[in-house]
Structures are given as structure tokens and as C-alpha cells.
Amino acid sequence: MLAASAALAAGCILAAIAAHPPGMSEPPDVREKILQLLEEGALYRDRIDWPEARQQLQHASGTAEADKILDQLIARSTGNHGLWIRASAMATPSGRMERIASAGQLQRPQAESAAASRKRESTEASDPIGWIAIPTFKENSTAPSTVREQQQLTFALQLQSQLQMEDAHDRCGWIVDLRQNQGGNMWPMLLGVAPLLAKNPNGKEVIGAFHLGATHQAWSLQPGRVLIENRTRLELNSPPYVLRHPAPPVAVLIGHTTASSGEMVTLAFRGRPTARSFGQETAGFSTANTPVPLPDGSVLLLTGAVAVDRNLKGDGGKLQPDVTVSNAADAEQSARNWLLTQPQCRAMASTR
């Protein structure tokens, strides 16, 4: 198993990739290097007969067949979460991989109808339930580290700013919508939503972990920062927002398109007191990728760890909601109904 590092994170977190001259074939040792990495560190490496895999590659009729064999080996040994990103592919606008992008814009989920959106806007000030949607986040992985960190901080601060605006109306409970979150870098997501995750805004608490073999690497929160083990992964450059009513009840909306880092955020809420999930099962990529640069300038996204919740529960597969609701509008209503039964909301209702 490869040692975990700061690069270990959920979703498609790409390392900077050097330019690769068009038309140049990969050095002959790249595929063997990939096999070595998979055999030593892929999460499901025991599913592969590695001597036989090498024989298949040696007898491939050409580059296209060899690449197809290798892609299949990557898929089988990583649970379909790993990927070999050719250097030339980084310049193309299409493909399975989300291209390099800046931080996404915060927005209400696409699943919310126009009528529901208008209704919510008209009752926003009086609504006791706060709402935040956490979108996919992709940073420009070819940018300098200082630029990438700034993109992460901007995203986290946007989330906290949205929380602050919602909280101005005295919310007793919150909905966190992850149904459109397909992954990316999990750390700015966790830092941005930390005011809702934390049971104690002034303390330190574990919110999840990576499970690597017999060991765990904990994710934790401290005021204004998120850590892996005892090392800061991302820290705000301004005071963190503290909710008017800390440790509120939280309803998490998930669905089939909730994937990778979206699933990590889901896990971070799982096991938190007064948190419950609603919707449908997730995509099933609750595992962690490490980007490994290769000699030809390409990158292997190597899936080597399972994400678990704060109680160390998780198997790398699909996450099941606490309450299964197939219809999007019904899931939202179920979440609201549950929140309104919680002590904080009942107490607030009795004073209005």
C-alpha cells in the first residue's frame, strides 16, 4: 500500500502534468510502472492475477489493445474509481474526466423546480430551515500551489458566506444538498460546511477517516481549519463563521449522482448527532485517489483507501440514506418534516 500523503483525497484531484509532445508514444516502461503501482497499492489488487495480466500485455497486438487491457485492469483493481490520464487527453474538452476548472458557482440544486425555488424565495426570511447546496469543486491542477490553495479557500469562504446569509434569518435546522455533487477536492467542501459539521465550534473533533490496510488517517476539524491526522490540510485566512445556534439538526440530501467527494461529505455527517440523510443511494465511489505522476507526463489516479465515517464505518461502496425517498420534491419535504420535529425547531416554533 502506498503511503498516504497530502495528495490523498477523494475524487479526481490531479497533479500538475507536464506537457507531452503530440505524436510521441509513451516510454515502454510506463505500462509496467502502472502495473507495479496497481499491484502494490490498488485497493482491490487481490482481484487481479498479476502474472497473467503481464502476459496479456506482452501479447497485446498493439498499443490500442494494450491500453484497453490496462484500462480494464485499472477499473477492476480500483473499483472503477481509478484512471490513467494520458498527457494528451488533458488538452481535450471531452472524455470521462471532468476537465480542469475553477471553483464552481454556489447555486440551488438543479433538482429544485422553478416553482419551488420561487416559493422558497418568497418565504426565505420566515422559513426556519436553512438551505445550502454544495456543488462539485474542481481546481486548476496545472496552476501553482499558491493559486490552487487560493481557489480552495475561495470555495470554502463562499460556502461559509452563504451559511452566514442564510443564518441571518434565525434558522433552527438545516438542509445540506449534495445531490449534484459529483466530486473533486473534498477539503474545501469540508472546511466550508464546518459550521454545520461541528458539534462544538471551539473544539477539535474527528469527522471521518481514510482506512488504509490496518490503519486509519483521521479527518478532523478545528476552528477555521480541516486536518488529516494532525496536519493542517486547509485553513481559512479569516475568522470562521459560527452559527447563531451551533450544533443544529441537519438533513442531508443525497442521490445517484452524489459521488466521490460528495460521498465523503455525506460520510462526515453520518454519525453526527441530530443528522439524518434523505434521498437515494449514492454512486458508490467512497474511496480515495492519489495522483501519481508518470515518466511520460501522464498521471495515474490510484485508488488506495476507503473512506469511513467518524465511527470508522464504511466499505467504499454506495451509501444508503437513512430515509429512502425516490422523488426529489418528496425527499426535500421529508427532510423538512423531520427537521421541524427536532427539539430546536419545536422550541423556536413555540416562541413565535
Side-chain angles (χ1 to χ4, degrees):
M1 181 71 68
L2 294 180
S5 67
L8 183 62
C12 303
I13 312 303
L14 304 186
I17 298 177
H20 184 61
M24 180 181 291
S25 61
E26 295 86 359
D29 64 339
V30 167
R31 293 180 184 83
E32 175 57 31
K33 178 63 175 178
I34 291 174
L35 281 181
Q36 291 175 3
L37 290 166
L38 295 172
E39 186 176 8
E40 294 171 4
L43 185 59
Y44 306 113
R45 57 191 181 276
D46 57 349
R47 297 177 180 178
I48 307 295
D49 182 331
W50 295 105
E52 180 182 347
R54 285 182 169 82
Q55 287 290 325
Q56 289 179 331
L57 275 177
Q58 288 173 5
H59 293 93
S61 61
T63 299
E65 184 180 355
D67 285 356
K68 181 178 179 180
I69 292 171
L70 194 55
D71 286 337
Q72 291 171 345
L73 291 170
I74 293 169
R76 288 173 56 198
S77 63
T78 67
N80 291 309
H81 200 186
L83 191 67
W84 178 23
I85 315 242
R86 282 70 160 180
S88 57
M90 295 302 296
T92 64
S94 61
R96 173 190 160 187
M97 192 59 147
E98 289 277 345
R99 284 325 105 185
I100 294 172
S102 300
Q105 295 297 312
L106 300 184
Q107 56 188 359
R108 297 214 181 276
Q110 296 176 7
E112 188 176 26
S113 67
S117 179
R118 285 194 297 272
K119 180 180 179 182
R120 176 167 173 75
E121 289 171 0
S122 67
T123 60
E124 185 171 359
S126 60
D127 192 344
I129 305 302
W131 184 301
I132 186 168
I134 305 177
T136 298
F137 171 76
K138 295 281 169 55
E139 61 197 316
N140 185 344
S141 300
T142 61
S145 59
T146 53
V147 174
R148 297 198 305 273
E149 181 177 357
Q150 186 57 52
Q151 290 175 335
Q152 295 170 28
L153 285 174
T154 297
F155 185 86
L157 288 168
Q158 284 179 319
L159 288 174
Q160 293 215 353
S161 176
Q162 184 170 331
L163 284 174
Q164 185 173 1
M165 287 188 292
E166 286 273 314
D167 201 31
H169 301 294
D170 202 17
R171 313 301 192 187
C172 67
W174 292 80
I175 291 175
V176 175
D177 198 326
L178 293 165
R179 289 173 296 178
Q180 304 302 319
N181 190 317
Q182 296 180 312
N185 190 327
M186 67 185 250
W187 303 112
M189 299 178 194
L190 293 174
L191 184 57
V193 80
L196 292 177
L197 272 172
K199 295 179 293 183
N200 178 2
N202 298 314
K204 179 181 179 180
E205 64 186 274
V206 172
I207 57 173
F210 290 126
H211 176 64
L212 304 96
T215 65
H216 291 87
Q217 287 198 325
W219 325 327
S220 59
L221 295 177
Q222 283 185 337
R225 60 178 179 157
V226 61
L227 304 91
I228 182 166
E229 287 297 280
N230 293 315
R231 180 167 46 81
T232 298
R233 184 57 186 81
L234 188 62
E235 184 172 10
L236 296 178
N237 53 11
S238 59
Y241 182 68
V242 178
L243 296 172
R244 296 173 67 177
H245 304 292
V250 177
V252 181
L253 300 181
I254 58 176
H256 298 316
T257 55
T258 306
S260 195
S261 288
E263 290 170 300
M264 306 307 181
V265 179
T266 303
L267 283 168
F269 278 103
R270 196 167 75 177
R272 173 196 178 277
T274 54
R276 203 170 193 186
S277 57
F278 298 79
Q280 299 169 292
E281 67 180 11
T282 62
F285 298 106
S286 53
T287 50
N289 281 338
T290 298
V292 183
L294 298 169
D296 67 327
S298 65
V299 164
L300 174 67
L301 294 182
L302 180 61
T303 309
V306 168
V308 296
D309 63 22
R310 63 185 69 199
N311 296 315
L312 304 183
K313 295 181 179 179
D315 60 8
K318 297 179 179 181
L319 307 181
Q320 301 297 326
D322 295 314
V323 179
T324 300
V325 188
S326 59
N327 181 275
D330 289 345
E332 295 161 15
Q333 190 59 52
S334 294
R336 292 180 62 83
N337 291 343
W338 174 76
L339 287 168
L340 291 172
T341 66
Q342 299 309 296
Q344 295 92 322
C345 286
R346 292 203 307 269
M348 182 177 290
S350 67
T351 62
R352 289 188 171 182

